[in-house]
């Protein structure tokens, strides 16, 4: 079977992030022919300006996207929006097009019952501007995430686990 590689990007920089926990969990849903990397280094990326050249952190980010057949983003919502760090990193790809035609799944998770839906809607707009390849199932909002994690920091809610697996399956289907 053809090898497939996926890159995941967390919108949270917290060490005990629930969004990063979700991304780590996804590895369990992937078949053997799929390699999976969690991007590290979002916090190293400088503030975007079209007049700045790419530095090593930006190049590292862009190359990680280029190497991947598909990308999964999982993000919290801050002040009803996408965390600035994530949006900033995505802005670096606007003119160079690393995400153009790239299959992408977008997930938001929040301790609130809104599930980070406003951040997700905003992220989807950005992903549309970037030309990402998605279908109607390529987005998932997870409400009340803290109630779905047990004292051992494991995601235990079956509906959530099924929805996460469905995201992986759908992304792999889009990649083809
Ligand atoms: C400054 C600040 C603003 C926040 N704003 C929102 C918000 O607008 N919507 C929301 O659902 N959660 C909001 N939250 C809660 C985050 O969703 C919550 O801290 C979440 O666990 C962060 O994700 P992480 O666990 O992946 O780091 C906010 C948290 C902070 C600290």
């Amino acid at each position: 079977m053809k090898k497939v590689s996926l890159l995941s990007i967390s919108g949270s920089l917290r060490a005990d992030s629930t969004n990063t926990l979700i991304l780590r969990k996804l590895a369990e849903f992937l078949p053997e022919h799929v390699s999976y990397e969690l991007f590290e280094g979002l916090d190293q990326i400088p503030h975007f300006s079209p007049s700045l050249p790419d530095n090593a952190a930006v190049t590292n980010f862009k190359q990680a996207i280029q190497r991947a057949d598909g990308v999964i983003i999982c993000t919290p919502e801050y002040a009803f929006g996408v965390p600035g760090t994530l949006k900033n990193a995505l802005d670096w790809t606007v003119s160079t097009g690393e995400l153009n035609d790239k299959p992408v799944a977008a997930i938001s998770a929040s301790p609130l019952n809104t599930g980070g839906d406003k951040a997700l809607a905003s992220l989807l707009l950005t992903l549309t501007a970037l030309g990402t390849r998605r279908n109607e199932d390529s987005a998932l909002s997870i409400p009340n995430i803290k109630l779905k994690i047990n004292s051992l920091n494991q995601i235990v809610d079956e509906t959530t686990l099924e929805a996460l697996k469905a995201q992986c399956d759908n992304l792999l289907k889009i990649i083809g």
Side-chain angles (χ1 to χ4, degrees), residues 44-83:
Q44 305 299 311
I45 295 175
H47 297 302
F48 173 69
S49 165
S51 51
L52 280 181
D54 293 1
N55 72 0
V58 173
T59 302
N60 182 37
F61 180 61
K62 290 185 175 185
Q63 287 179 346
I65 295 171
Q66 275 167 336
R67 279 195 307 269
D69 298 300
V71 174
I72 306 176
I73 299 172
C74 189
T75 186
E77 175 176 282
Y78 286 143
F80 289 0
V82 176

Side-chain angles (χ1 to χ4, degrees), residues 12 14 16-19 76-80 110-112 114 116 146:
S12 174
R14 294 195 317 121
D16 59 348
S17 159
T18 53
N19 283 274
E77 175 176 282
Y78 286 143
F80 289 0
S110 167
L112 308 184
T114 47
K146 294 210 168 136

Side-chain angles (χ1 to χ4, degrees), residues 11-161:
S12 174
L13 301 179
R14 294 195 317 121
D16 59 348
S17 159
T18 53
N19 283 274
T20 307
L21 179 72
I22 288 167
L23 289 176
R24 291 191 199 284
K25 183 72 188 170
L26 295 185
E28 294 173 27
F29 302 128
L30 299 170
E32 245 174 47
H33 70 283
V34 179
S35 67
Y36 185 68
E37 178 194 346
L38 178 65
F39 183 75
E40 311 269 359
L42 215 62
D43 56 341
Q44 305 299 311
I45 295 175
H47 297 302
F48 173 69
S49 165
S51 51
L52 280 181
D54 293 1
N55 72 0
V58 173
T59 302
N60 182 37
F61 180 61
K62 290 185 175 185
Q63 287 179 346
I65 295 171
Q66 275 167 336
R67 279 195 307 269
D69 298 300
V71 174
I72 306 176
I73 299 172
C74 189
T75 186
E77 175 176 282
Y78 286 143
F80 289 0
V82 176
T85 317
L86 174 60
K87 178 65 165 63
N88 180 60
L90 295 175
D91 286 347
W92 277 98
T93 72
V94 172
S95 53
T96 43
E98 286 76 15
L99 282 159
N100 191 42
D101 205 33
K102 187 76 68 178
V104 175
I107 304 171
S108 64
S110 167
L112 308 184
N113 61 12
T114 47
D117 57 353
K118 293 172 226 46
L120 184 62
S122 174
L123 175 62
L124 292 172
L125 273 179
T126 301
L127 293 176
T128 298
L130 294 171
T132 62
R133 187 146 39 106
R134 292 176 284 120
N135 64 18
E136 65 284 0
D137 298 321
S138 300
L140 172 67
S141 155
I142 304 175
N144 305 312
I145 184 62
K146 294 210 168 136
L147 302 178
K148 295 164 179 175
I149 297 172
N150 69 11
S151 58
L152 300 173
N153 209 28
Q154 296 162 330
I155 303 165
V156 286
D157 180 67
E158 278 305 323
T159 309
T160 301
L161 293 171

